[in-house]
Amino acid sequence: MALQNAQIPVQIHLHDLPEALLLQIFASIEPTRARNSASLVCRRWRDLERRTRPSLSLRGNPFTTPYPPFPFPRFPSLSSLDLSNLSPWGRVPSHTPLLVGPTLPISFPAVTDLTLYSRDPTALISLTHHWPKMKQVKLVRWHNRPSGADIGSDLSPLFENCTEIEEVDLSEFYCWTEDVTEAVSRHSLVARNLMGLDLMLANATDGFRASELISISEACPNLRRLSAPCAFNPRYIDFINDATLLRIATNCPHLTTLHLVDTTPITLNNNPGPANNLQENNPSTITPTGLESLFSSLPLLTDFSLDLSHPILEAGPALESLGQRRASLIKNLKLGNFQGVCIGKWLHLDGVSVCGGLESLCLKNCGDVSDGSLAAIARGCTRLSKFELIGCDLVTELGIKKLALGLRRTLKEFCVSRCGLVSAPALVKALKPLRGRLERLHLDGVWTQPEAKKVNVLERQSDVGEHGVLGENNDLNGLCEPRSKRSRHRYEEDVELSFGDTTTVNGECSQWHYYQSWDNLRELSLWLPAGEFLSPLLEIGLDDCPNMSSIIIKVEGNCRAKPDPHTFGMNFLSIFPNLSKMKLDLGEAIGYAFTAPFGQMDLSLWERFYLHGIGELLSLQELDYWPPQDREVNQRTLSLPAAGLIQGCYNLRKLFIHGTAHEHFMRFFLQMMHLRDVQLREDYYPAPEDDMSTEMRDESCRRFELALNSRRVLD
C-alpha cells in the first residue's frame, strides 16, 4: 500500500511557489511581448506582471476612450514611462484636462524617467508636479516652436516642479538655443544638480555660441555628460575656440562625456590633392595646443567627440597626450576632420594608436589616414569593439584587411562609408577574418571597383611595416606576402589564406581561420545611390546571415535623370529567415511629385520600384519608411502604389511612415490582420502648428485610429 502511494505523482502548480519567488521570476522577463502574453493568462499573473514591470511605452489616441481604462491599473515598480508616441502628438483638448493630469500619476506613482511629446508647456505643467522625484526627462517635438511663447517657457515647468532632475535630453526637441540658456540660468539651484545635458536639438542649424555654452557650464558645475551642436566657424560672431573649451572644462571639471558637433555645412573638399591647400588656408579655430589643455583639465574624460567642418592640422601629439595620461580611461573617441591622427610609420605607435584602452573609434573626414594608419591602430588599440571609417579616401582593401586581422578577436561593429577606394565587394572580401565575429556592419552599395588614385611618396612611406619593409614576418602590415608581390593599389589577393593557416602576430604564432558564414551578424546597414539595385548584395558574400534580424537601407540621389528601372530587388532579402525589422529611408531620393516630363518617372513609380517584392518578406514585423520627396513643392507623401505594396506585408505588426498620407490610402492597412501600431510622423522638418500629424486632418486621423484599434488582432 505504501508503495502504491509513493508512485502517485504529486500535482505541483506554479502558483504553489512563494510570492517572493514568483515576483523574481516575473521581474526577470525582459521581452515586451512575453510580458504582455503572460499578463493574459490569469488575473494573478496580470497582477504580478504589473507589479514587476519596469518600463512602458503608451501608444494610440488617448482622447477617443479613457486611457488607461477604469479602474485604473497600478504599476508600483514602473520607473520609465514613454508618452512620446501618443497621437495627436502633444495636443491636449480643453475638455479632457483630467486625463493628462491626475490619471497617469495614479497608475504610475514611481516614475523617475519620462519621455514626453511636449508640443507646448501645457503637458509639462499637467504632469511634472505629480512626479516631483523625477530624475531623467526626454522631451520630443517636431512641430514648430509655439509662436509668441516666452524664451525658456518650454523648460521652465520642468525645472520648477522637478527640483531633483539630473538628466535632460533634448536631442529630439525642436527649440531655440536661447531657450535652453534662459531656462538653465533662471533656475540656477536646480541646474546645479544636473549631471547630464543632451542638447543635440532637432534640426539645429546654428548651434550654441561661445557665450551660451559658457553660461550653461557656469550654471551646471556638476555636469558629467554634455552634448551640443556648436558654432565653430570663425565667420560667425561669438564662435567657439580654444578659450571656450578651456572655460567649459574649468567650469565642469567632472565631465566624463563631451560631444561637440559643428553645424556648419562642409564645403571644403576633403580629398587628397590640390584641395589640401584650401584646407590649410582655412584651419579650424580649435588647435592641438588647445586640445592638450582641454584634456589636461578633464581628468575623468572617457568619451570624447569633436566633429568639425574645418580641419585641425597635426592633431597627433594632442591625441598622444590623451592616451599617455589616461590610456586606461578613454573609451570612446569620435574625431571629425582631424589631420595627422595616426601616421603609422616604422616601429613606434603615434597619435590615436597610443590610446590602448579605446573600445570605440570613429574617424570622419580624416584625409591622411592610410593603410599604415589602420595597421598601427590595430597594433595599439587592441580592445576596439566598434570602428567607423567615414570619408577617408586613402584607405584601401589592404588596410582594412590589416585592421580586421589585428582586431579579429574584439571587433563587433564595423562601418566604412564614403571611402573612395573601397567598394562593397572589396570590403566584404577584406572582412573575412571577422565573418564569425561582427554583429553590426555598414557598407556603401558601390558594387563596382573604383579606380586607384595616385599616391605620393609620403603616403607610401606610411605603409612601411614594423621592420622597415612591408610584409617581412608581420601579418598586420603585409599579411605574410612576398616583398616582390606587394602593391599599393592591389585588390586581388596574391596569397589566399585558408582554414587553419598559421600567422605571426607580434612574433607569436597562432592558429586561426576564415569563417564562411556571418553567424553573429544581427544588423546590416546599406547606403545606395538612386537607381542602384540591391541584388549584388548577395553576390559579394553576404548571402549567409542566418541570424540577421534588422536591416537599414538609405537611398540618396536625384532620380530624375535615371532610366526606367525594373525592380530594386527587395525580394532577395527573403533568404534571411530572421529578418524582422527594416528601415527603408528614401527621404533623400529626389524626383517629380506630380507630373514628370516625357520619358521620366514620377515618385509613385519610384516607390513601386523600391517596394516591389516587400510582401515576400514573411518574417518582417516592423517597418520604418521614409517616402521620397520633391523639394520644389516640399512634399513627402505616401503614394497609392506604396500603400498597396506595403499592404502585402501580411505579418507586419508595426508601421511607421515618416511623411504624409491620404485617409483612403491608410485604409489599405486595416486589412493587415497582424498590424497593431501605425504612426504617421512629420519629423523630417518642423511640422506647422496647425497640422496634427499628417496630411490627414484631425477627424480623419481619429477615424483611422479608431478603426485600427477596434479590430481583433490574432495574438
Side-chain angles (χ1 to χ4, degrees):
M1 189 67 179
L3 182 61
Q4 293 178 357
N5 293 335
Q7 294 177 351
I8 297 176
V10 180
Q11 298 293 333
I12 299 178
H13 196 273
L14 183 63
H15 289 171
D16 296 332
L17 296 175
E19 186 78 7
L21 186 56
L22 281 177
L23 288 174
Q24 292 293 330
I25 294 175
F26 275 84
S28 62
I29 303 176
E30 296 183 358
T32 303
R33 291 192 62 189
R35 279 188 164 271
N36 296 339
S37 300
S39 64
L40 299 176
V41 174
C42 61
R43 291 184 178 181
R44 187 183 183 190
W45 283 34
R46 183 194 63 183
D47 295 338
L48 289 172
E49 193 278 325
R50 288 177 178 175
R51 290 167 60 186
T52 58
R53 182 182 283 264
S55 61
L56 182 65
S57 177
L58 299 182
R59 293 184 173 90
N61 193 326
F63 309 120
T64 54
T65 57
Y67 192 85
F70 186 84
F72 304 126
R74 287 183 58 85
F75 297 81
S77 300
L78 192 139
S79 60
S80 179
L81 181 62
D82 187 353
L83 302 178
S84 63
N85 295 314
L86 293 177
S87 62
W89 290 283
R91 179 70 71 180
V92 182
S94 58
H95 60 277
T96 56
L98 297 179
L99 178 65
V100 181
T103 304
L104 293 178
I106 291 175
S107 300
F108 313 107
V111 171
T112 59
D113 184 355
L114 177 66
T115 303
L116 176 68
Y117 194 99
S118 179
R119 190 165 185 168
D120 54 51
T122 306
L124 279 176
I125 295 174
S126 302
L127 289 176
T128 51
H129 69 278
H130 292 285
W131 292 312
K133 302 295 184 180
M134 196 85 66
K135 300 294 184 181
Q136 301 177 3
V137 173
K138 179 179 180 180
L139 299 182
V140 180
R141 180 170 68 195
W142 58 74
H143 281 80
N144 279 329
R145 183 181 182 273
S147 59
D150 296 335
I151 296 179
S153 60
D154 286 319
L155 301 176
S156 293
L158 177 63
F159 293 138
E160 290 174 358
N161 298 325
C162 303
T163 57
E164 300 180 9
I165 189 74
E166 296 180 356
E167 300 273 348
V168 177
D169 188 349
L170 304 179
S171 59
E172 299 181 21
F173 190 68
Y174 183 82
C175 68
W176 297 343
T177 56
E178 50 263 35
D179 287 326
V180 181
T181 308
E182 178 67 21
V184 170
S185 302
R186 188 184 304 170
H187 304 86
S188 57
L189 294 179
V190 180
R192 294 184 65 87
N193 297 328
L194 288 177
M195 301 179 63
L197 275 178
D198 190 342
L199 306 179
M200 293 292 182
L201 307 178
N203 297 302
T205 56
D206 296 332
F208 288 87
R209 305 302 173 95
S211 58
E212 294 175 333
L213 273 186
I214 292 175
S215 177
I216 292 175
S217 63
E218 290 176 349
C220 309
N222 296 315
L223 276 181
R224 303 295 195 272
R225 293 164 293 278
L226 175 62
S227 302
C230 303
F232 289 97
N233 196 329
R235 294 179 296 177
Y236 293 164
I237 299 176
D238 197 14
F239 65 91
I240 294 176
N241 52 19
D242 290 342
T244 308
L245 296 185
L246 189 57
R247 285 285 301 276
I248 295 174
T250 303
N251 295 332
C252 305
H254 305 296
L255 279 174
T256 60
T257 300
L258 180 61
H259 293 177
L260 302 177
V261 178
D262 195 349
T263 58
T264 306
I266 299 177
T267 57
L268 299 178
N269 186 1
N270 294 323
N271 296 328
N276 283 341
N277 298 330
L278 180 61
Q279 282 193 341
E280 293 177 0
N281 296 331
N282 296 273
S284 173
T285 56
I286 308 300
T287 63
T289 304
L291 287 178
E292 292 186 22
S293 302
L294 175 67
F295 296 150
S296 61
S297 302
L298 297 176
L300 303 178
L301 190 65
T302 60
D303 188 350
F304 179 67
S305 175
L306 187 60
D307 191 356
L308 303 174
S309 297
H310 295 73
I312 297 181
L313 305 178
E314 300 180 1
L319 299 176
E320 291 178 10
S321 66
L322 176 65
Q324 291 171 355
R325 293 175 182 175
R326 290 178 300 280
S328 60
L329 284 181
I330 190 70
K331 302 297 182 183
N332 305 309
L333 270 181
K334 181 178 181 180
L335 309 175
N337 236 319
F338 278 54
Q339 308 301 321
V341 170
C342 181
I343 304 300
K345 293 194 304 183
W346 312 106
L347 286 171
H348 71 284
L349 301 176
D350 66 291
V352 73
S353 63
V354 178
C355 304
L358 276 181
E359 298 177 358
S360 174
L361 176 63
C362 176
L363 302 179
K364 181 179 179 182
N365 298 325
C366 299
D368 56 356
V369 171
S370 62
D371 293 349
S373 305
L374 298 186
I377 292 173
R379 287 190 289 118
C381 306
T382 57
R383 301 179 183 178
L384 276 179
S385 61
K386 180 180 179 180
F387 188 79
E388 298 182 36
L389 202 62
I390 304 173
C392 300
D393 288 335
L394 298 183
V395 173
T396 67
E397 175 191 354
L398 182 61
I400 295 178
K401 186 177 298 183
K402 298 173 185 178
L403 182 76
L405 184 58
L407 300 176
R408 63 185 181 274
R409 294 185 179 89
T410 60
L411 202 60
K412 295 182 179 180
E413 301 181 29
F414 195 68
C415 168
V416 175
S417 179
R418 294 191 288 111
C419 296
L421 295 181
V422 181
S423 64
L427 175 63
V428 174
K429 186 178 180 180
L431 293 179
K432 283 185 178 180
L434 297 173
R435 281 193 175 183
R437 304 282 185 179
L438 284 182
E439 298 178 1
R440 291 180 176 87
L441 174 64
H442 172 85
L443 53 88
D444 292 346
V446 181
W447 310 124
T448 58
Q449 183 60 49
E451 295 182 359
K453 300 180 181 180
K454 294 183 179 180
V455 184
N456 53 36
V457 177
L458 180 61
E459 181 195 347
R460 289 182 180 274
Q461 290 178 355
S462 67
D463 283 335
V464 177
E466 285 190 7
H467 299 277
V469 292
L470 185 65
E472 272 192 19
N473 196 25
N474 186 355
D475 70 325
L476 292 180
N477 289 299
L479 289 175
C480 302
E481 294 174 347
R483 187 189 308 181
S484 60
K485 290 187 177 182
R486 59 186 172 92
S487 172
R488 179 64 179 83
H489 297 293
R490 186 186 67 256
Y491 294 96
E492 296 296 332
E493 284 284 329
D494 291 324
V495 179
E496 185 72 27
L497 298 180
S498 59
F499 180 87
D501 283 345
T502 302
T503 58
T504 304
V505 182
N506 296 330
E508 297 180 1
C509 294
S510 61
Q511 294 285 338
W512 65 283
H513 65 276
Y514 286 142
Y515 295 89
Q516 298 302 318
S517 64
W518 305 78
D519 293 334
N520 290 327
L521 191 64
R522 302 291 190 273
E523 181 178 301
L524 178 63
S525 177
L526 298 172
W527 176 90
L528 292 168
E532 191 59 76
F533 300 97
L534 190 62
S535 53
L537 177 69
L538 309 182
E539 301 173 1
I540 64 176
L542 282 170
D543 54 338
D544 192 2
C545 305
N547 296 313
M548 190 174 71
S549 59
S550 175
I551 187 169
I552 302 173
I553 302 175
K554 182 176 178 61
V555 179
E556 185 176 357
N558 192 348
C559 301
R560 298 175 179 179
K562 301 295 181 181
D564 295 349
H566 298 287
T567 177
F568 180 57
M570 190 68 70
N571 57 326
F572 287 97
L573 300 180
S574 60
I575 68 171
F576 304 124
N578 295 321
L579 183 61
S580 60
K581 186 176 182 180
M582 175 187 292
K583 291 185 178 181
L584 180 59
D585 187 355
L586 308 180
E588 298 300 326
I590 306 170
Y592 295 101
F594 299 106
T595 57
F598 179 76
Q600 297 191 15
M601 299 170 54
D602 59 19
L603 288 180
S604 63
L605 296 179
W606 277 109
E607 283 194 279
R608 178 182 296 174
F609 162 70
Y610 283 109
L611 291 173
H612 181 75
I614 195 172
E616 300 181 23
L617 307 182
L618 302 180
S619 60
L620 193 63
Q621 297 183 1
E622 298 184 25
L623 175 62
D624 274 358
Y625 178 59
W626 286 258
Q629 63 174 320
D630 187 349
R631 294 179 179 176
E632 294 181 358
V633 296
N634 198 17
Q635 182 183 21
R636 178 181 294 168
T637 183
L638 188 72
S639 65
L640 176 61
L645 291 171
I646 293 177
Q647 179 193 352
C649 299
Y650 180 75
N651 294 319
L652 204 64
R653 297 180 59 87
K654 296 182 180 180
L655 175 60
F656 302 87
I657 299 176
H658 301 258
T660 61
H662 294 283
E663 182 180 4
H664 58 283
F665 291 169
M666 298 296 295
R667 289 283 175 177
F668 288 9
F669 303 143
L670 297 178
Q671 303 178 20
M672 305 167 65
M673 299 307 299
H674 295 274
L675 193 63
R676 301 189 60 174
D677 187 9
V678 180
Q679 295 184 35
L680 297 161
R681 298 182 174 182
E682 275 192 349
D683 51 357
Y684 50 91
Y685 63 84
E689 185 60 29
D690 57 351
D691 186 8
M692 296 305 300
S693 60
T694 67
E695 191 170 341
M696 296 166 55
R697 296 299 175 249
D698 186 17
E699 290 301 323
S700 300
C701 185
R702 185 171 302 181
R703 284 195 300 267
F704 170 75
E705 291 180 341
L706 181 60
L708 181 69
N709 296 330
S710 61
R711 299 175 310 134
R712 182 177 180 181
V713 183
L714 299 180
D715 58 346

